[in-house]
């Protein structure tokens, strides 16, 4: 059977970024209004999948209620080393996400690039963190999102050993729905959704039209 082409979107924090958020993550925080606007646009679009990185507290305070009220599902990728820290999701939050049908996945231990790490660091970032997140959320962790979108063959091998069923990158462009490795498109506060417009080309007129509408609204 031919696997469907989809567009994965990556959200991060929503609202005002707390002081503790570094410059590398600040650019990807969206205002609440804009986030809600984006959700309303993608809600009826079956070929767009929403993911959230970094485990910010806004996942539970803003994103979850907005998703629930629209009947939408999403995947949330969290760092094990941040669980329960100020500004980030705690174990109770993770269980709440799972209870509402959201997936909780791995985004590492300390939010570092997984490329070029030695074996013991990779073990900690991938396998130890996967166990900690599963224990915190009370559900198996079978999806991963590479921090900073960085990966190589060794990283992918570690993820396979951990039994990951789906691995998300930040490579931009479309993805095959059933593929193990999934490209994603990060939504930045400065974006006009060029990525979606470009990558939606091969999905035909109606999709391009939807993408153009998205781009227009986000200007
Ligand atoms: Zn991240």
């Amino acid at each position: 059977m031919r696997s469907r082409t989809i567009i994965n979107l990556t959200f991060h924090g929503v609202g005002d970024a707390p002081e503790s958020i570094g410059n590398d993550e600040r650019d990807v925080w969206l205002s609440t209004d804009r986030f809600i606007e984006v959700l309303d646009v993608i809600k009826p679009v079956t070929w767009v999948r929403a993911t959230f990185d970094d485990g910010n507290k806004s996942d539970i305070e803003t994103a979850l209620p907005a998703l629930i009220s629209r009947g939408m599902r999403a995947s949330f990728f969290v760092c094990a080393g941040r669980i329960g820290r100020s500004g980030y999701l705690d174990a109770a939050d993770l269980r709440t996400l799972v209870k509402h049908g959201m997936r909780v996945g791995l985004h590492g231990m300390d939010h570092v690039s997984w490329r070029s790490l030695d074996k013991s660091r990779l073990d900690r970032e991938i396998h130890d963190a996967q166990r900690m997140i599963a224990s915190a959320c009370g559900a198996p962790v079978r999806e991963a999102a590479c921090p900073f979108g960085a990966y190589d063959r060794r990283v992918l091998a570690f993820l396979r050993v951990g039994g990951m069923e789906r691995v998300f990158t930040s490579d931009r462009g479309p993805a095959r729905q059933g593929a193990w490795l999934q490209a994603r498109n990060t939504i930045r506060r400065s974006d006009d959704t060029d990525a979606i417009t470009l990558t939606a080309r091969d999905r035909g007129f109606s999709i391009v039209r939807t993408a153009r509408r998205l781009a227009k609204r986000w200007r």
Side-chain angles (χ1 to χ4, degrees):
M1 200 173 71
R2 208 166 148 261
S3 178
R4 215 157 70 105
T5 301
I6 59 166
I7 302 285
N8 294 308
L9 297 185
T10 312
F11 296 101
H12 295 76
V14 179
D16 295 326
E19 292 285 311
S20 55
I21 299 293
N23 284 337
D24 55 334
E25 290 176 53
R26 211 162 267 274
D27 178 45
V28 290
W29 277 66
L30 297 188
S31 71
T32 303
D33 285 352
R34 187 165 181 219
F35 170 70
I36 295 296
E37 189 182 15
V38 175
L39 270 198
D40 282 335
V41 173
I42 66 173
K43 179 180 177 268
V45 188
T46 57
W47 47 269
V48 172
R49 184 158 50 195
T51 70
F52 293 80
D53 278 11
D54 300 343
N56 293 296
K57 203 70 174 173
S58 61
D59 288 354
I60 198 93
E61 292 173 345
T62 310
L64 182 65
L67 290 164
I68 291 172
S69 69
R70 287 164 180 76
M72 297 172 73
R73 299 270 167 91
S75 295
F76 292 81
F77 296 100
V78 304
C79 296
R82 288 173 167 177
I83 295 171
R85 275 175 46 193
S86 173
Y88 296 101
L89 302 175
D90 59 25
D93 296 331
L94 296 179
R95 284 167 191 263
T96 301
L97 289 174
V98 170
K99 194 179 87 188
H100 288 286
M102 307 295 157
R103 286 172 192 258
V104 172
L106 168 75
H107 199 45
M109 183 72 82
D110 299 322
H111 205 250
V112 296
S113 167
W114 291 342
R115 286 184 67 149
S116 317
L117 293 183
D118 64 24
K119 186 184 175 306
S120 69
R121 284 295 304 282
L122 264 185
D123 255 331
R124 174 180 148 78
E125 282 290 328
I126 293 178
H127 300 147
D128 294 353
Q130 181 183 10
R131 277 190 292 272
M132 283 171 64
I133 295 165
S135 156
C137 77
V141 168
R142 294 280 178 253
E143 292 186 343
C146 306
F148 311 101
Y151 63 94
D152 54 23
R153 285 167 65 180
R154 272 179 70 237
V155 166
L156 297 183
F158 264 73
L159 291 164
R160 278 197 193 278
V161 167
M164 290 298 169
E165 291 167 358
R166 201 170 274 153
V167 174
F168 292 88
T169 69
S170 305
D171 290 342
R172 293 197 165 262
R176 289 278 159 198
Q177 190 166 34
W180 187 73
L181 201 59
Q182 300 266 323
R184 295 188 302 170
N185 300 270
T186 298
I187 306 296
R188 294 177 184 276
R189 83 172 58 188
S190 51
D191 261 357
D192 64 358
T193 68
D194 275 356
I196 296 171
T197 309
L198 288 173
T199 54
R201 264 185 200 156
D202 65 340
R203 290 195 48 88
F205 177 72
S206 65
I207 284 157
V208 173
R209 198 171 50 185
T210 306
R212 283 193 186 131
R213 204 161 57 226
L214 274 171
K216 212 180 235 173
R217 282 204 193 189
W218 292 359
R219 251 174 225 143

